Amino acid sequence: MRSLIGASQFLNRSSALLLYSHDHRCFSKGFRAFRTSPSLRTLATMASNDDEFVKGNVFPNGVAVITLDRPKALNAMNLDMDVKYKKFLDEWELDPRIKCVLVESSSPRAFCAGMDIKGVVAEIQKDKTTPLVQKVFTAEYSLICKIFEYKKPYISFMDGITMGFGIGLSGHGRYRIITERTVLAMPENGIGLFPDVGFSFIAAHSPGGGSVGSYLGLTGKRISTPADALFVGLGTHYILSGNLGSLKEALFDVTFSEDPHQDIKHLLEKYSNVAESEALLKPLLPHIVSTFSANKSVMEIVEELKKHQQSSDGTVAEWAKEALLGLGKGAPFSLYLTHKYFSRIASARGKNDNDLSTLTGVMKTEYRIAIRSSLRSDFAEGVRAVLVDKDQKPKWNPPRLEEVNSSEVEALFEPLSSEIEELKV
């Protein structure tokens, strides 16, 4: 139930949503063609009402398309949208006519900026036992597992803002298309939660043995260049936004073979571009690895960054300064939790006897953590400071890293009580 707070505070106009936008550009000519080309005739429309935010269409050659159509809210996902999205995937996975699934946005501003959360916070404040919290996390996490295990090619057009649950909807899929407009981030620590939606699993597979992913999760760093999106592993292909329309039409023209994956790989290779410059994070990798390694505590990370701030290398010094600013926005408890959690997932990678080596195991653990951490006062306080009053001055509990109770953090990982059912995926 997330969306992201980037370094420049991606605040949407709607105070009811945790949404952030850095760009109010109108539709490009290419995107208009992408949306309205008369040559794309629909075989069957599974959802067509203008007021429906998740629309599904199946085209004659077996391409099924999910379109997120809530542009004013940057496609923030609510519970009903989660359920509908998964229903489409469930139906199409069993339908032999369907060869692949494409997920897109109706707007160039955002693929998905996260989750609609203010209503959930309001319910929690009324009643901490509200079943809404469990329903939302169950819907989100079940959907993520479905995407990760999907038996047919799953393609995401991650054009524009792709944050929080937006990364959950795309980052676990097979084909992750980023453009020059893609902006990626996971700064949930800034609202007193933690980077969830299975990002810890993605982070564990990032460069530096998971150090880069830990760095992104802890600091909320924005990834806004194609080279960096590819380097960290959030994108698989870089395609110019102006070419998405042509790619989409070409996809509808494909006569699929017995191996749709090969057909799609061939098509994506044809449209893919090479990033214009080297990833900004690549030369910083040694510093990221040494600073954000799993064997360092958050306080040690902070001290290491302070040293790097004094570096004679201006790039390193600026990187350290920005990282410290990112950490400074996070709730101390959330930072402690994120570091411990991400370290466990990274250390479990490749160990088949460890449940945390699989996404399913990760999501089951994450469900326990999310249910409990969402009921802590930091969550409501973070939403108040960022969304409601917008004073950007949250009063965290505890206020300092040194005061975080490690036993309280450990308790979040424990099995749920008999009154609350564990996640079934």
Side-chain angles (χ1 to χ4, degrees):
M1 154 172 74
R2 17 270 109 224
S3 34
L4 306 176
I5 312 162
S8 60
Q9 296 296 326
F10 285 72
L11 271 174
N12 186 44
R13 294 174 189 170
S14 172
S15 62
L17 302 167
L18 183 52
L19 298 171
Y20 302 87
S21 174
H22 73 301
D23 197 344
H24 297 280
R25 287 172 286 191
C26 60
F27 291 98
S28 68
K29 293 180 180 178
F31 201 91
R32 276 197 294 268
F34 172 33
R35 293 184 60 206
T36 62
S37 174
S39 66
L40 306 180
R41 295 181 295 108
T42 304
L43 174 66
T45 301
M46 301 178 72
S48 60
N49 294 336
D50 290 338
D51 60 345
E52 293 183 1
F53 299 141
V54 177
K55 299 179 179 180
N57 295 305
V58 176
F59 288 81
N61 70 333
V63 176
V65 180
I66 290 178
T67 303
L68 302 181
D69 190 22
R70 197 184 182 189
K72 291 183 179 179
L74 303 184
N75 293 329
M77 297 287 290
N78 59 35
L79 179 58
D80 289 340
M81 292 169 72
D82 295 343
V83 172
K84 190 168 187 179
Y85 194 121
K86 187 171 183 294
K87 182 181 179 182
F88 282 137
L89 293 184
D90 287 338
E91 291 176 357
W92 291 339
E93 191 170 36
L94 299 175
D95 188 339
R97 297 173 302 168
I98 306 302
K99 305 303 180 183
C100 71
V101 174
L102 168 66
V103 186
E104 62 173 6
S105 167
S106 65
S107 164
R109 292 176 59 199
F111 169 68
C112 173
M115 189 69 182
D116 186 340
I117 66 165
K118 194 176 178 184
V120 176
V121 173
E123 286 298 314
I124 292 172
Q125 290 177 320
K126 290 177 187 175
D127 178 12
K128 283 199 171 186
T129 64
T130 175
L132 180 61
V133 174
Q134 296 164 51
K135 288 180 180 179
V136 169
F137 282 117
T138 297
E140 279 192 14
Y141 293 2
S142 298
L143 177 52
I144 287 168
C145 289
K146 167 60 71 173
I147 291 169
F148 182 75
E149 298 169 351
Y150 209 60
K151 294 180 175 62
K152 296 180 180 180
Y154 179 95
I155 310 163
S156 304
F157 281 179
M158 303 160 69
D159 190 30
I161 298 168
T162 305
M163 299 183 172
F165 196 33
I167 290 179
L169 295 176
S170 56
H172 298 288
R174 180 73 173 270
Y175 305 101
R176 307 181 295 278
I177 314 305
I178 52 101
T179 74
E180 77 283 1
R181 297 189 298 208
T182 301
V183 181
L184 305 152
M186 290 293 298
E188 284 80 2
N189 288 328
I191 55 165
L193 277 175
F194 70 104
D196 68 327
V197 299
F199 187 72
S200 59
F201 187 80
I202 295 173
H205 294 77
S206 68
S211 295
V212 169
S214 179
Y215 155 65
L216 297 177
L218 283 167
T219 65
K221 164 71 177 176
R222 282 191 301 153
I223 299 296
S224 56
T225 69
D228 280 302
L230 295 172
F231 174 67
V232 302
L234 288 172
T236 58
H237 298 78
Y238 166 42
I239 297 175
L240 294 172
S241 59
N243 291 335
L244 291 179
S246 298
L247 169 59
K248 187 177 174 185
E249 290 203 40
L251 184 62
F252 293 151
D253 287 337
V254 171
T255 299
F256 286 98
S257 66
E258 292 297 313
D259 189 353
H261 279 290
Q262 284 302 117
D263 301 326
I264 289 168
K265 286 177 183 177
H266 177 73
L267 186 62
L268 292 179
E269 285 172 6
K270 179 181 176 182
Y271 282 87
S272 291
N273 296 86
V274 177
E276 293 83 356
S277 58
E278 184 181 55
L280 300 175
L281 293 180
K282 190 173 183 179
L284 291 167
L285 184 58
H287 301 288
I288 295 173
V289 171
S290 65
T291 305
F292 288 87
S293 62
N295 61 356
K296 280 190 170 70
S297 68
V298 180
M299 287 184 285
E300 288 173 330
I301 290 173
V302 170
E303 291 305 312
E304 187 83 7
L305 287 170
K306 287 179 179 178
K307 292 178 183 177
H308 284 311
Q309 231 182 337
Q310 307 306 316
S311 173
S312 58
D313 185 328
T315 301
V316 173
E318 184 61 29
W319 164 76
K321 178 182 177 182
E322 184 185 77
L324 283 168
L325 287 173
L327 288 170
K329 294 177 181 179
F333 187 92
S334 295
L335 294 174
Y336 195 109
L337 166 62
T338 298
H339 181 262
K340 181 174 287 294
Y341 180 45
F342 276 42
S343 296
R344 288 186 181 182
I345 306 304
S347 64
R349 182 183 175 185
K351 298 177 181 177
N352 296 332
D353 59 340
N354 190 322
D355 288 342
L356 296 181
S357 67
T358 68
L359 181 66
T360 299
V362 167
M363 298 315 299
K364 287 179 178 179
T365 299
E366 196 159 287
Y367 182 76
R368 297 173 179 175
I369 298 172
I371 291 291
R372 290 171 171 137
S373 62
S374 65
L375 300 181
R376 296 189 73 258
S377 62
D378 277 351
F379 182 34
E381 173 60 10
V383 172
R384 179 206 65 77
V386 174
L387 287 179
V388 182
D389 298 336
K390 301 179 184 179
D391 57 24
Q392 311 302 327
K393 295 179 180 179
K395 295 179 175 60
W396 303 124
N397 179 29
R400 301 169 68 240
L401 278 169
E402 295 85 345
E403 297 174 29
V404 175
N405 186 328
S406 60
S407 297
E408 186 179 349
V409 174
E410 285 292 340
L412 301 184
F413 293 81
E414 295 297 319
L416 296 171
S417 65
S418 57
E419 291 81 19
I420 303 177
E421 192 173 29
E422 299 278 358
L423 181 69
K424 293 181 178 179
V425 290

